Structure formats: structure tokens, C-alpha cells
């Protein structure tokens, strides 16, 4: 697996973000709570809580959780591409460059519906009883069996289109 630089233009491209309402509600609650705590303690001069943190710690918490956490969640994404030489994917910011699975490494694949929690323990970069998964939302994707015997799931909002595009380049090999 390597970066996508220098390869052919993508035949398929999908960029997905975390979009679960419950997740964003939790992130925004934490962000607003940290910003409110900093405002109350630093601007209004009233200690936040029964055992308030020092002002410097409140500033750090407000920056990390009030600004950093929502920004991190907003920029985290899964990009999936198919080029003539294989499948490329990147889970930003954890992967700064694309990972590649060449056409010769793909033994089998199929569009599928799965249970993110039961099969992989949730969303993100996950390891489960069915192999490794890269997913950010939903319960659909493409399950790959690699020539190494490993299994990989790439979550997708358009798994049929992803599988069809992949099938069209595998026919040409």
C-alpha cells in the first residue's frame, strides 16, 4: 500500500464525513460546556465547578475541546478512489497519504450491508471478527477478500457504484 501520487485520475471518488446526529450532539455539548466554563471563570470571574481548574488549564481546555474537537470531527474524512491500477483510500487525519490495494491483490469483493457495532465495534478504523474496517457512518460498504487472505471493509454511501467501478477495472487486467 502506498500513496496515490503519480497514478491515473480516479474513475470513482467518494468523500465521507462523520454525520451521525448523536455524535455531533455529543461533540457540540462538550465544546459548549468547555467554552461556557472558560467564559464563566475567565470573563465573569466566577469559578467553574466545586473544584475549579486554574485559569491556564481552562484556556487549554477551551481551545482543545471548545475549538479543537469540533474542528477535528469536521475535518476527519474517509476518501475512497478507484483508479485503473487499484483501490485507494485515506482516513484523514490518521492517514496523510492514500493507502493502495492493487488490482492483483483483490481476490473477491461485494457490496454489502453490515452492522458497524456488532461486526466491527463502531465507526472509524476498526478491527472486528470480520477483519478490518474503515467507515464513518451508515451500515453499507464493500467487503474485500485480499489475496493475502485478509478481509477489509470500506464503508460507502454508494457501495454498488463502488463495486461496479471496481469490477470494470478488474475485467481489464
Amino acid at each position: 500500500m502506498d500513496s496515490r501520487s503519480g497514478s491515473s485520475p480516479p474513475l470513482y471518488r467518494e468523500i465521507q464525513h462523520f454525520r451521525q446526529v448523536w455524535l455531533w450532539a455529543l461533540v457540540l455539548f462538550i465544546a459548549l460546556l468547555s467554552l461556557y466554563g472558560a467564559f464563566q471563570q475567565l470573563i465573569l470571574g466566577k469559578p467553574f465547578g466545586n473544584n475549579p481548574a486554574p485559569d491556564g488549564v481552562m484556556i487549554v481546555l477551551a481551545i482543545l475541546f471548545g475549538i479543537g474537537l469540533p474542528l477535528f470531527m469536521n475535518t476527519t474524512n474517509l476518501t475512497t478512489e478507484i483508479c485503473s491500477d487499484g483501490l485507494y483510500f485515506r482516513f484523514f487525519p490518521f492517514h496523510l497519504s492514500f493507502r493502495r490495494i492493487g488490482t492483483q491483490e483483490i481476490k473477491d469483493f461485494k457490496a454489502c450491508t453490515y452492522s458497524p457495532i456488532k461486526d466491527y465495534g463502531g465507526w472509524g478504523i476498526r478491527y472486528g471478527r470480520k477483519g478490518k474496517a474503515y467507515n464513518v457512518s451508515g451500515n453499507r460498504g464493500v467487503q474485500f477478500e485480499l489475496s493475502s487472505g485478509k478481509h477489509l471493509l470500506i464503508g460507502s454511501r454508494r457501495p454498488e457504484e463502488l463495486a461496479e467501478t471496481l469490477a470494470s477495472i478488474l475485467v481489464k487486467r
Side-chain angles (χ1 to χ4, degrees), residues 10-82:
L11 304 168
Y12 172 92
R13 180 176 174 91
E14 180 178 14
I15 301 173
Q16 300 176 78
H17 296 270
F18 284 103
R19 55 187 168 93
Q20 297 91 327
V21 173
W22 65 267
L23 180 62
W24 276 102
L26 180 62
V27 166
L28 292 176
F29 173 77
I30 292 168
L32 291 173
L33 183 64
S34 67
L35 291 172
Y36 173 76
F39 175 78
Q40 179 179 317
Q41 186 163 315
L42 301 171
I43 306 300
L44 300 179
K46 297 178 184 176
F48 184 68
N50 295 333
N51 188 13
D55 288 354
V57 172
M58 289 302 291
I59 292 169
V60 169
L61 291 174
I63 292 169
L64 284 177
F65 294 103
I67 298 168
L69 182 61
L71 185 61
F72 173 78
M73 290 302 296
N74 192 49
T75 59
T76 299
N77 69 74
L78 173 61
T79 302
T80 308
E81 295 183 351
I82 296 178

Side-chain angles (χ1 to χ4, degrees), residues 5 8 13 22 24 30 40 47 59 61 63 71 80 85 113 115 117-118 125 132 136 141 149 157-160 165:
S5 62
S8 58
R13 180 176 174 91
W22 65 267
W24 276 102
I30 292 168
Q40 179 179 317
I59 292 169
L61 291 174
I63 292 169
L71 185 61
T80 308
D85 60 340
T113 300
S115 172
I117 294 174
K118 187 171 83 173
I125 301 173
K132 191 172 185 179
V136 293
R157 289 183 312 247
R158 306 179 341 242
E160 290 81 10
T165 306

Side-chain angles (χ1 to χ4, degrees), residues 1 16 18 77-80 87 89-92 94-95 97 99-101 114 116 120 122-128 131-138 140-144 146 151-156 162:
M1 296 189 207
Q16 300 176 78
F18 284 103
N77 69 74
L78 173 61
T79 302
T80 308
L87 170 73
F89 60 94
R90 180 178 67 184
F91 203 108
F92 183 82
F94 304 105
H95 299 153
S97 60
R99 307 289 194 232
R100 176 182 174 263
I101 299 176
Y114 63 98
Y120 298 100
W123 293 270
I125 301 173
R126 311 297 297 189
Y127 297 88
K132 191 172 185 179
Y134 292 88
N135 56 17
V136 293
S137 66
R140 308 211 51 232
V142 175
Q143 178 74 53
F144 293 89
L146 306 179
H151 289 86
L152 173 72
L153 178 107
I154 303 288
S156 175
L162 173 58

